[in-house]
Amino acid sequence: SYRDFHGFKVIKEFYANGWLKFIFQYIYYIFETVLVTLIIIFGQKACDQWIHQTKIPSGGIVLALTWGLAHCFTQDFVMGVICFISSICYGCIYLLVDQDIRKAYPLILMVLIL
């Protein structure tokens, strides 16, 4: 995002939006991350029960097929591909922290923001 924003994203958003819009933007990021994390958790749990493969980031795949593809249709194709790949990465983060939501949520939030 540093390259896309031509600088540090958080600082650029603050100067572009002002303090009030900036605060609401980050409140939105917090709630978006809650939804993203819940899709990963429930997608992972469902696929673990269905296919019995706990090493595959299936929660991230479910997120990619919902959140990622939705961005393809609502924004542009490049943003959709970025969200698709990010979704798989978020699923991998969830597996790397041994499916612990208390560790996964702050990491996913930081990756989503930065």
Side-chain angles (χ1 to χ4, degrees), residues 27-87:
I27 290 170
Y28 167 80
Y29 287 153
I30 289 167
F31 284 110
E32 182 180 28
T33 306
V34 168
L35 294 174
V36 163
T37 306
L38 287 173
I39 293 171
I40 291 170
I41 290 168
F42 289 116
Q44 186 71 42
K45 186 173 180 92
C47 291
D48 286 352
Q49 290 178 351
W50 294 336
I51 61 174
H52 306 291
Q53 292 291 328
T54 59
K55 303 289 185 209
I56 298 172
S58 46
I61 294 169
V62 170
L63 181 64
L65 293 174
T66 55
W67 189 58
L69 287 179
H71 277 77
C72 281
F73 298 119
T74 60
Q75 294 185 10
D76 62 356
F77 181 74
V78 174
M79 181 57 75
V81 170
I82 290 170
C83 289
F84 193 91
I85 293 168
S86 298
S87 298

Side-chain angles (χ1 to χ4, degrees), residues 4-24:
D4 292 338
F5 280 84
H6 304 290
F8 190 57
K9 179 184 171 192
V10 177
I11 294 171
K12 291 287 189 171
E13 284 182 333
F14 179 77
Y15 286 119
N17 297 330
W19 66 271
L20 185 62
K21 192 173 178 183
F22 175 81
I23 289 170
F24 282 104

Side-chain angles (χ1 to χ4, degrees), residues 75 79 88 98 103:
Q75 294 185 10
M79 181 57 75
I88 303 294
D98 295 325
K103 294 177 185 172

